[in-house]
Amino acid sequence: MNKFRTSLLGILSVIYISLPLSANGQGIKGKVISCDDSQPLAGVTVQIEGTSTGAVTDGDGRYALPTLKPKRYTLAFSCMGMKSETRTVNLAAGKREIVDVCLEEDAVTLNEVLITGKSATRKINELAYNVVAVEVKQLHNTTMDLSHALDRVSGVRIRESGGVGSGFNFSLNGFTGRQVKFFIDGIPMENFGSSFQINNIPINLAERIEVYKGVVPISFGADALGGAVNIVTGNRQNSYLDASYSFGSFNTHKSCVNTGYTSANGFTVQLNLFQNYSDNNYPVNVDVADLSTGLYENRRVKRFHDNYRNETLIANVGVTGRKYADKLLVGITLGQNKADIQTAARMDRVFGARFRRGNIIMPSVRYSKKDLFAKGLDVNITGNYNLGFEQTVDTVARHYNWVGEYNEKPSPGGELSRTLYKYNNHNGLLTGNIAYKINDRHSVMLNDVLNVFDRTGFDATDPDNREMQLPRKTVKNVAGLGYRFDYSDRWNTSVFVKYFAQSTSSFTTVYYTSEGTIYPELKSRYDKFGYGLASTYFLLSDLQFKFSYEKSFRLPENEELFGDANTLLGNTELRPESSDNVNVGLNFTTTAGRNHGLIFDGNLIVRNAVDYIRPQQNTNGTHQVMTNQRDVINIGYNGEVRYSYKRLLTAGVNLTYQNLRNNTRYEEGSTRESTVYRDRIPNMPYFFGNGDVNLFFPGVGGRDNNLSIGYNLLFVYEYYLRWPSQGASGSKYTIPAQLSQDVNITYAIKKGRYNLSAECRNITDTNLYDNFSLQKPGRSFSLKFRYFISSK
């Protein structure tokens, strides 16, 4: 009966929308959109309270009510997964009222949150790509940064070298670091510098995180080898304020303010500010050297030189919702960071004064318009240019031990290598995307991303070093052309082709001749074509099958080519790495009545990579350099199961297994089979998983108040630092198995306007290692206050 009623309302809505309201009568019509991305919402029920009169929005989000008597009406807007809204309308005789409404997603009732952590919209859920979109609104009351939220996604592993602001390595189904690309609202984050990275961006900045495991849509214009992560910040077209502050163990302080204003004529101002600070003085177990005797004693001491701080401001001003532009924003991103460097690549080398710092000064522009010139023609253009710098400072000639004692070294000198090298990474980015929907079945897309890079530097400790001052440049272009065929609601397929091009220019080691010193210029250029397809078919209404394949290339990044002036040395001879990626996925969703929900998601991943780029340590272990080491094959699996009961309980578990093997049979220049052929790739987690349980208690302390309690578990199986087949079993270095457990409790007052959260991470105070010998923080506590208000 309810389904019949909804269908009848929908038919009546289409009729009413297609006909003008009576000139002599009164009526109400309007449009319903999402507050988060301004997209029209179909299937929203619009009911006049106290009556049986109502309507359902069509595919464009529009609704219309029949001719009504002049009086006061209250309209109720409701939709599954969205917060309900009401509007009061005084309908005068002979008048027609327009009532437009935006609805917010409900972080408690959303199927994506309660069941699986999948996409926030049905469009993303039905993509043929192997994509998981994590709705993070329910995490806004936590002290997480984006990297910790991602670490809960199946197939993802975040490896940190320490506490807040420390170096990190992102792994997705066996591909690591720069093989996975990051985007913010579809814009590549390649040129943002150290002041704006996922390990220092607060969770409150994001509404959703989309993780593409393998094949990446051409709309991103990415040269990703193993996947991509898109951080969606939300595109509210209302006024709002979201402010929070947290403090915790190791003198950690974090604050964040997101605010925006949109006037009736579309004038828009958006402002995001956030900062992080921590002493990172957590205890570690290390061998402490006696500087007078040279003997070592294993002790538990606190890190003493690991302070981190960063501050960032993002401001945008412009117009939204105008005839000539859905969005036209001009912005500026300003940020700075400073991080003390406590150790080298291993904890047996300790520093007491060495540090790095950097900033970001990046103006930007963004333009988007749907149905530009013709219905179905959508255009998006973005541009930015980063004028920031990076610097490593090492001018103190001392040798430290783990309790802060030191011996003086010959001066001038440094702890590792004396330097004040400061370089400017002038980096420009221009993206253009044109999509045209020919009809309901056929659509095409053209995308192009141009990235220019120009580094110049100077070292005040070596002012006559001309080589450091010479420019290092790259120009990278990634273009894509795609076609999508939507046969029905059950089946759609996309095919695409990509073009990759990169040219580099740098200067090599100096040569001394009778005519003086010369600096030979090195130039290189690569042109590659990639291609792929992605298809999905709903075997049943709740059983979805996905298949995708891509021949992909990744062009070397600027830091891989030219170094980072810290621990990574440059290698201008790097070649692009390529991979054949195959993804097969199955998703099943079921419900039992109105109370129980269950979702299973499983994926098979096959990767065959050539010229795999991996870091290699130098002989003394102080620096790394990226090299084309080996061909690698990976056959992996990941799966997730989630369960929900009413609005009271959610629980889930995911597991990932990846079998990365060396596929290089003969070493370069040798006819003998490699001793590590088919060996497991070292220093790479291959079996890990997450589990979580969340309990919700509505109405605690008041009708509009809610209490929630959460538990999360992270498991990583042990793995070898070096080739497993090499060396005696008792002498092999391993990164030990990890089992980390976190708990949190949140109390939300007045429908989430006031929020108080408490967290405990690593509740068992276990020694945790993501990298060999680099200990992570032990047990920590934090408290967070958050205030949120939004106008409709």
Side-chain angles (χ1 to χ4, degrees), residues 13 117 123 129 138 160 187 210 288 336 354 362 384 397 420 444 508 511 652 654 660-661 704 735 743 747 783:
S13 298
K123 289 181 180 179
Y129 302 94
Q138 73 274 20
E160 297 177 299
I187 302 172
E210 301 167 357
V288 179
Q336 62 180 1
R354 183 178 170 91
M362 188 174 71
N384 59 56
L420 279 171
V444 293
T508 187
Y511 290 91
N654 67 68
L660 280 88
R661 298 285 175 170
D704 296 329
I735 291 83
V743 294
Y747 187 52
L783 193 65

Side-chain angles (χ1 to χ4, degrees), residues 23 25 72 93 111 122 128 177 241 319 369 477 577 585 674 732 774:
R72 182 185 181 92
N111 190 46
R122 185 175 179 179
L241 172 65
V319 295
K369 182 69 177 77
N477 187 46
E577 53 185 347
S674 171
K732 296 179 182 179
L774 294 178

Side-chain angles (χ1 to χ4, degrees), residues 64 66 72 276 412 418 586 603 646 649 653 655 706 724 735 738:
R72 182 185 181 92
N276 300 282
R418 181 175 175 82
L586 199 64
N603 296 280
K646 292 185 177 179
L649 167 70
V653 61
L655 290 172
N706 290 279
I735 291 83
Q738 300 181 53

Side-chain angles (χ1 to χ4, degrees), residues 154-172:
S154 63
V156 171
R157 184 74 187 99
I158 305 290
R159 300 172 63 187
E160 297 177 299
S161 59
V164 177
S166 65
F168 73 97
N169 185 279
F170 182 91
S171 173
L172 176 60

Side-chain angles (χ1 to χ4, degrees), residues 98 359 498 530:
I98 297 177
N359 74 356
K498 295 181 180 179

Side-chain angles (χ1 to χ4, degrees), residues 547-562:
F547 174 83
S548 57
Y549 164 79
E550 180 179 19
K551 175 68 173 182
S552 181
F553 291 87
R554 186 183 76 86
L555 305 170
E557 295 291 329
N558 299 312
E559 286 192 349
E560 295 173 323
L561 293 167
F562 309 128

Side-chain angles (χ1 to χ4, degrees), residues 192 195 332-335 359-363 385-389 427:
F192 285 15
S195 294
I332 185 75
T333 299
L334 303 172
N359 74 356
I360 178 174
I361 305 172
M362 188 174 71
Y385 197 85
N386 187 6
L387 301 168
F389 77 85
N427 202 326

Side-chain angles (χ1 to χ4, degrees), residues 243-423:
S244 62
Y245 167 74
S246 68
F247 64 91
S249 301
F250 319 125
N251 196 26
T252 300
H253 302 264
K254 300 180 179 181
S255 58
C256 178
V257 176
N258 301 318
T259 186
Y261 167 77
T262 301
S263 69
N265 64 2
F267 175 72
T268 300
V269 178
Q270 299 172 345
L271 187 66
N272 309 100
L273 304 98
F274 60 88
Q275 65 82 218
N276 300 282
Y277 175 85
S278 181
D279 286 343
N280 284 322
N281 57 343
Y282 57 91
V284 291
N285 297 315
V286 292
D287 291 328
V288 179
D290 185 320
L291 298 181
S292 59
T293 65
L295 300 177
Y296 288 87
E297 177 187 6
N298 189 269
R299 295 168 56 181
R300 188 167 178 83
V301 300
K302 287 186 176 182
R303 296 171 73 99
F304 65 92
H305 181 65
D306 202 14
N307 291 4
Y308 175 81
R309 52 171 277 263
N310 84 292
E311 302 85 29
T312 301
L313 176 150
I314 307 170
N316 290 284
V317 61
V319 295
T320 56
R322 303 302 294 270
K323 289 184 178 180
Y324 56 86
D326 294 332
K327 181 185 299 180
L328 176 57
L329 298 176
V330 177
I332 185 75
T333 299
L334 303 172
Q336 62 180 1
N337 76 96
K338 178 179 179 294
D340 293 339
I341 302 173
Q342 180 73 89
T343 70
R346 293 174 57 176
M347 291 180 66
D348 54 5
R349 186 69 179 271
V350 59
F351 306 129
R354 183 178 170 91
F355 68 91
R356 60 177 174 83
R357 61 186 177 189
N359 74 356
I360 178 174
I361 305 172
M362 188 174 71
S364 62
V365 63
R366 182 182 303 181
Y367 173 82
S368 64
K369 182 69 177 77
K370 291 182 178 294
D371 300 327
L372 180 66
F373 305 132
K375 184 174 178 58
L377 181 63
D378 303 337
V379 175
N380 289 276
I381 300 173
T382 66
N384 59 56
Y385 197 85
N386 187 6
L387 301 168
F389 77 85
E390 303 289 335
Q391 183 180 31
T392 298
V393 177
D394 187 352
T395 58
V396 178
R398 292 175 179 172
H399 175 68
Y400 281 87
N401 67 7
W402 267 107
V403 293
E405 301 169 341
Y406 60 86
N407 286 334
E408 297 287 352
K409 297 167 63 177
S411 186
E415 296 181 81
L416 181 61
S417 176
R418 181 175 175 82
T419 182
L420 279 171
Y421 182 52
K422 178 180 179 181
Y423 58 88

